[in-house]
Amino acid sequence: KSVAGEAKQLKVHHTTVFRRLSALEENLGVRLFERLAKGYVLTLSGEKMYQTAPQNLKLILPKYLKMFL
C-alpha cells in the first residue's frame, strides 16, 4: 500500500506518517516495513507485530491509562 494514500485517508501529511513509522522501528530496534518503489510491505517482524497487536494492546493499554487517571 501507499503511505501517501494511507496518510490522506487518515487526514495527516505523509511525512508525519513516515516519521512515525521510522520512530516506531527505531524504538523497537527492528524493521517493520520493507520499502519498495510502489509502497511498503511488512517484514517478518512487522507481520508478527501485526498479528499480536490486539493482544499486546490489551496488556499495555490498561497500565498506560492508569498512569494518567
Side-chain angles (χ1 to χ4, degrees), residues 14-28:
H14 68 277
T15 57
T16 301
V17 175
F18 284 118
R19 281 191 300 244
R20 290 184 182 174
L21 288 175
S22 294
L24 177 61
E25 289 178 324
E26 189 174 320
N27 285 325
L28 294 173

Side-chain angles (χ1 to χ4, degrees), residues 10-55:
L10 294 169
K11 297 181 181 169
V12 296
H13 199 273
H14 68 277
T15 57
T16 301
V17 175
F18 284 118
R19 281 191 300 244
R20 290 184 182 174
L21 288 175
S22 294
L24 177 61
E25 289 178 324
E26 189 174 320
N27 285 325
L28 294 173
V30 295
R31 290 205 44 192
L32 301 173
F33 301 92
E34 184 68 35
R35 286 120 178 112
L36 303 175
K38 293 188 177 187
Y40 284 59
V41 293
L42 290 172
T43 62
L44 184 57
S45 296
E47 275 291 337
K48 288 179 182 178
M49 184 174 181
Y50 177 77
Q51 291 170 358
T52 60
Q55 299 142 328

